[in-house]
Amino acid sequence: MSLKTKYGATALVAGASEGIGAAFATRLAAEGFGLILIARRQEPLQKLADALSDKYKVSVRCIVCDLSDEGVSEHIAASLEGTEIDILVYNAALSHIGSFIGHPSEGHNQAARLNMITPMNLVHHFGGKMVEKGRGAVVMMSSMAGFQGSGFLATYAATKAFNRVLAESLWYEWKDKGVDIIACCAGATVTPGYIRSAPGKVSLLAPAAQKPEDVVRECFTRLGRRPSFISGGGNRFASFIMQRLLPRITAVKIMGDNTRKMYRL
Ligand SMILES: NC(=O)c1ccc[n+]([C@@H]2O[C@H](COP(=O)([O-])OP(=O)(O)OC[C@H]3O[C@@H](n4cnc5c(N)ncnc54)[C@H](OP(=O)(O)O)[C@@H]3O)[C@@H](O)[C@H]2O)c1
């Protein structure tokens, strides 16, 4: 069954102008969904919106706002009053790479709002409406970093664990209500944000970085079948070793050591 037949006609992608969010928007436009796209920078967002509406003949509306602002979920809900959202993809995230105390606490608060509070509020609002009508889907972006303590990515990793646990919990609550929700746990993915972070090579055995389109394809294959998944065969293999075979202390040390090496800390 196509995504449109199963879920409806309109998708909201929060954090949509580039990278994995843009790949979600592109795939959903290709499936015929009308789109609402959110990001802070008007220009790249509008450029993507124009390209998608031209190519796929779908309606695309942009909302330019900062998803880490307090009260932003209420603003989005009010802007979309009367618009039914059938698929919600929450993609935007902030990750501070470096020592926890070396970064001002307002930065950690901002990451907590962007990565946890806003998605929780949007899922509460739009997911609630999906449950009322008995149809819909939610994708929450998570990360391999959220499976164990990840030194030098501390707040980011903790917020990504939150997303996964929230999605898995709601999967259970909603599994008989017609609403699918999944946490998409990505590993390294070649996005503009990832490239800007300038990661070094950790080891020849590290899983290869994925393309955003591949993460999206894997996600939609698994949506409705499981509460969460790890994207990429290499990442699934690495996770099996880290989570199932190694003691937790070793997994935490490997994560911290790799991050230090990758970002020359
Ligand atoms: N890339 C990876 O290697 C990787 C690995 C694991 C997990 N992930 C997860 O995958 C998701 C996407 O990652 P990504 O690398 O594609 O991109 P990203 O750099 O995290 O964000 C991409 C999109 O989010 C928007 N955005 C960022 N902050 C925002 C804010 N405060 N308010 C509104 N929009 C905002 C950006 O547009 P504007 O800048 O215009 O706002 C952009 O369109 C994240 O949740 C990340 O945790 C990524």
Side-chain angles (χ1 to χ4, degrees), residues 6-7 127-136 174 176-180:
K6 189 162 184 197
Y7 298 118
K129 288 184 181 296
M130 291 174 196
V131 169
E132 259 171 41
K133 67 179 176 183
R135 188 161 91 136
W174 295 350
D176 303 319
K177 298 189 187 298
V179 181
D180 295 327

Side-chain angles (χ1 to χ4, degrees), residues 107-126:
H108 294 295
N109 279 276
Q110 190 188 2
R113 288 194 299 273
L114 180 63
N115 302 5
M116 297 193 297
I117 306 298
T118 302
M120 180 182 70
N121 287 336
L122 292 180
V123 171
H124 187 268
H125 179 77
F126 293 109

Side-chain angles (χ1 to χ4, degrees), residues 3-44:
L3 289 174
K4 212 173 163 202
T5 311
K6 189 162 184 197
Y7 298 118
T10 307
L12 168 61
V13 183
S17 58
E18 62 182 31
I20 298 171
F24 270 110
T26 304
R27 167 70 190 272
L28 288 162
E31 298 258 352
F33 280 85
L35 297 175
I36 291 124
L37 306 181
I38 301 179
R40 289 165 302 182
R41 288 167 301 149
Q42 167 112 41
E43 205 186 315

Side-chain angles (χ1 to χ4, degrees), residues 14-22 38-42 44-45 63-69 90-95 110 114-115 140-145 156 160 163 184-196 209-210 212 215 263:
S17 58
E18 62 182 31
I20 298 171
I38 301 179
R40 289 165 302 182
R41 288 167 301 149
Q42 167 112 41
L45 191 65
I63 300 179
V64 173
C65 65
D66 188 330
L67 290 159
S68 69
D69 283 350
Y90 194 91
N91 173 73
L94 177 60
S95 94
Q110 190 188 2
L114 180 63
N115 302 5
M140 302 194 76
M141 281 308 297
S142 182
S143 165
M144 299 276 289
Y156 173 75
K160 291 290 146 178
N163 292 153
C184 173
C185 307
T189 309
V190 188
T191 64
Y194 176 76
I195 293 165
R196 278 194 297 272
Q210 283 197 290
V215 174
Y263 293 106

Side-chain angles (χ1 to χ4, degrees), residues 77-258:
S79 309
L80 296 176
E81 184 70 50
T83 305
E84 241 178 57
I85 300 299
D86 304 303
I87 296 190
L88 165 64
V89 177
Y90 194 91
N91 173 73
L94 177 60
S95 94
H96 164 64
I97 300 165
S99 97
F100 177 73
I101 51 171
H103 197 61
S105 81
E106 172 44 27
H108 294 295
N109 279 276
Q110 190 188 2
R113 288 194 299 273
L114 180 63
N115 302 5
M116 297 193 297
I117 306 298
T118 302
M120 180 182 70
N121 287 336
L122 292 180
V123 171
H124 187 268
H125 179 77
F126 293 109
K129 288 184 181 296
M130 291 174 196
V131 169
E132 259 171 41
K133 67 179 176 183
R135 188 161 91 136
V138 177
V139 174
M140 302 194 76
M141 281 308 297
S142 182
S143 165
M144 299 276 289
F147 280 100
Q148 67 290 296
S150 301
F152 300 98
L153 289 173
T155 299
Y156 173 75
T159 64
K160 291 290 146 178
F162 176 91
N163 292 153
R164 178 169 51 82
V165 173
L166 182 66
E168 289 177 346
S169 308
L170 296 179
W171 175 87
Y172 184 83
E173 290 190 28
W174 295 350
K175 67 185 169 50
D176 303 319
K177 298 189 187 298
V179 181
D180 295 327
I181 179 165
I182 194 162
C184 173
C185 307
T189 309
V190 188
T191 64
Y194 176 76
I195 293 165
R196 278 194 297 272
S197 76
K201 189 81 187 159
V202 174
S203 94
L204 290 173
L205 298 176
Q210 283 197 290
K211 289 188 200 145
E213 304 72 42
D214 294 336
V215 174
V216 170
R217 183 179 36 75
E218 286 194 35
C219 181
F220 283 134
T221 307
R222 288 165 176 84
L223 178 66
R225 295 169 201 264
R226 12 190 346 170
S228 62
F229 81 102
I230 295 169
S231 182
N235 293 326
R236 285 190 284 278
F237 181 67
S239 177
F240 176 78
I241 294 174
M242 294 273 281
Q243 308 308 320
R244 302 278 177 87
L245 302 186
L246 296 177
R248 193 140 178 98
I249 185 172
T250 310
V252 172
K253 281 182 179 169
I254 289 175
M255 239 356 241
D257 289 351
N258 283 354

